Amino acid sequence: MFLPKYPDNPTPPPAHTHTAPIDPAPARRSLPSVSIDQKTVAALVVGGVVLTALLAAVAVTAISVAVAAAVLRSLLRDHNRR
C-alpha cells in the first residue's frame, strides 16, 4: 500500500549530445601578485594574539558572572526561607 511505485522502463538517454563550443573561452585576467613580508606576518600574528586574549577575557568574565549569580541566588534563596 505504501510502497513506492517505480517506472517499468528506465529513463531513456538524453537526445541532445554535448558539443564543443565554437568560440574559445576568453582568456582570464591574472590577479596582481601580493607580496607578504615579515611585517605583514608579524602584524597578523599580533592581531591574532590580541583577538584571542580578548575572547578569553570575555569568556572568563562570563563564567565569573555566572558563578556569582549562582552564589547570590543560593544566598537569597536561603535568606528567604528563614
Side-chain angles (χ1 to χ4, degrees):
M1 181 174 165
F2 293 109
L3 295 176
K5 295 181 180 180
Y6 297 108
D8 293 336
N9 296 329
T11 57
H16 176 73
T17 57
H18 182 69
T19 58
I22 297 171
D23 295 333
R28 287 184 152 191
R29 294 182 183 174
S30 63
L31 296 174
S33 62
V34 178
S35 62
I36 299 176
D37 56 350
Q38 288 181 345
K39 291 181 182 178
T40 305
V41 173
L44 286 175
V45 169
V46 169
V49 168
V50 168
L51 288 176
T52 304
L54 287 173
L55 183 62
V58 168
V60 168
T61 303
I63 291 171
S64 64
V65 167
V67 169
V71 168
L72 284 174
R73 183 177 176 189
S74 174
L75 289 174
L76 289 175
R77 188 179 338 141
D78 290 342
H79 180 68
N80 289 336
R81 287 183 181 176
R82 290 181 186 181

